[in-house]
Amino acid sequence: QQQVKQSPQSLIVQKGGISIINCAYENTAFDYFPWYQQFPGKGPALLIAIRPDVSEKKEGRFTISFNKSAKQFSLHIMDSQPGDSATYFCAASTSGGSYIPTFGRGTSLIVHP
Amino acid sequence: EADIYQTPRYLVIGTGKKITLECSQTMGHDKMYWYQQDPGMELHLIHYSYGVNSTEKGDLSSESTVSRIRTEHFPLTLESARPSHTSQYLCASSDTSTPGNTIYFGEGSWLTVV
């Protein structure tokens, strides 16, 4: 049972374009939605995160859009650069308690120069 | 930002050998995790711990074992390595008191069993 569904599995974008990765969840108890960026040979690193009380969060070229009613959230990378080429994972979790965060299956992003 | 250290980073070992992958974190996080990941693929949770003397099996069945005797240390052991164990192993930790149990990952240990 996959609690967080991520799409697409892979994405190819031209330099300067917009990269969009989508995630959907089922558990309404989730209250924290981070995105991780992983370069080859490295561990995933926290990129940006959002809580459900806001619909959008922006940090530089990276924006999370959140739709609570649809139980969906997405990562937008504006002006995509070759250095953004990496695997991106969405996740969902609840604060505190015994809950273990759930990850999407990942999206491999390639940005062509 | 959490500091998580994994050793060794790269290991090539023969079939049947016993290995231990070390993981230490310096932030006093209560939860720790081990994930298995093939290159560029999804993360599979194999073990986690809520704190000292707590260990739980994750979603993916694994022949490895873990221990949590100290808060900062969460080693993973394979008693008899097989080629099917060839993969990257990622250690991670989180603090229950921080928003959403944000997970911080180590750099990973690449294991090749020949």
Side-chain angles (χ1 to χ4, degrees):
Chain A
Q1 179 182 355
Q2 188 182 4
Q3 295 195 56
V4 177
K5 295 183 179 180
Q6 183 172 346
S7 63
Q9 185 175 357
S10 62
L11 181 62
I12 299 175
V13 174
Q14 292 296 316
K15 178 182 176 181
I18 302 173
S19 304
I20 301 174
I21 304 170
N22 301 299
C23 283
Y25 64 96
E26 291 295 325
N27 189 344
T28 56
F30 290 143
D31 63 1
Y32 186 71
F33 302 90
W35 284 89
Y36 289 81
Q37 179 187 55
Q38 183 182 29
F39 294 108
K42 302 288 188 180
L46 180 65
L47 180 64
I48 186 173
I50 195 168
R51 300 189 72 94
D53 52 346
V54 296
S55 60
E56 185 176 283
K57 183 173 182 179
K58 184 176 181 179
E59 290 185 3
R61 296 184 294 107
F62 300 90
T63 300
I64 300 178
S65 296
F66 185 81
N67 186 328
K68 189 174 182 178
S69 61
K71 292 186 285 186
Q72 296 176 347
F73 59 108
S74 59
L75 176 69
H76 297 238
I77 306 175
M78 311 300 289
D79 186 26
S80 298
Q81 299 296 312
D84 297 330
S85 297
T87 300
Y88 292 82
F89 293 93
C90 64
S93 65
T94 61
S95 298
S98 61
Y99 194 80
I100 303 299
T102 300
F103 286 87
R105 289 185 171 177
T107 297
S108 175
L109 171 66
I110 297 175
V111 181
H112 282 310
Chain B
E1 183 175 332
D3 292 319
I4 303 179
Y5 305 99
Q6 292 187 239
T7 58
R9 288 294 317 280
Y10 304 93
L11 178 65
V12 180
I13 195 169
T15 298
K17 297 293 185 181
K18 177 181 178 179
I19 60 159
T20 296
L21 303 180
E22 300 288 348
C23 177
S24 295
Q25 51 98 1
T26 60
M27 299 302 291
H29 287 175
D30 53 345
K31 289 182 180 172
M32 295 190 73
Y33 315 80
W34 277 102
Y35 289 85
Q36 185 175 343
Q37 184 190 33
D38 292 327
M41 303 299 285
E42 62 184 296
L43 299 161
H44 294 288
L45 180 65
I46 52 175
H47 296 284
Y48 59 98
S49 166
Y50 292 117
V52 172
N53 294 326
S54 156
T55 61
E56 304 286 343
K57 290 188 180 295
D59 305 322
L60 180 68
S61 176
S62 174
E63 295 166 343
S64 58
T65 59
V66 292
S67 63
R68 189 91 182 273
I69 299 174
R70 303 197 313 267
T71 298
E72 65 272 20
H73 196 214
F74 192 43
L76 180 144
T77 298
L78 274 167
E79 291 292 334
S80 180
R82 295 208 302 265
S84 61
H85 296 140
T86 295
S87 189
Q88 178 182 212
Y89 293 85
L90 289 160
C91 182
S93 70
S94 68
D95 183 349
T96 304
S97 65
T98 62
N101 285 308
T102 302
I103 288 184
Y104 297 92
F105 287 87
E107 295 278 82
S109 291
W110 288 90
L111 173 64
T112 301
V113 183
V114 298

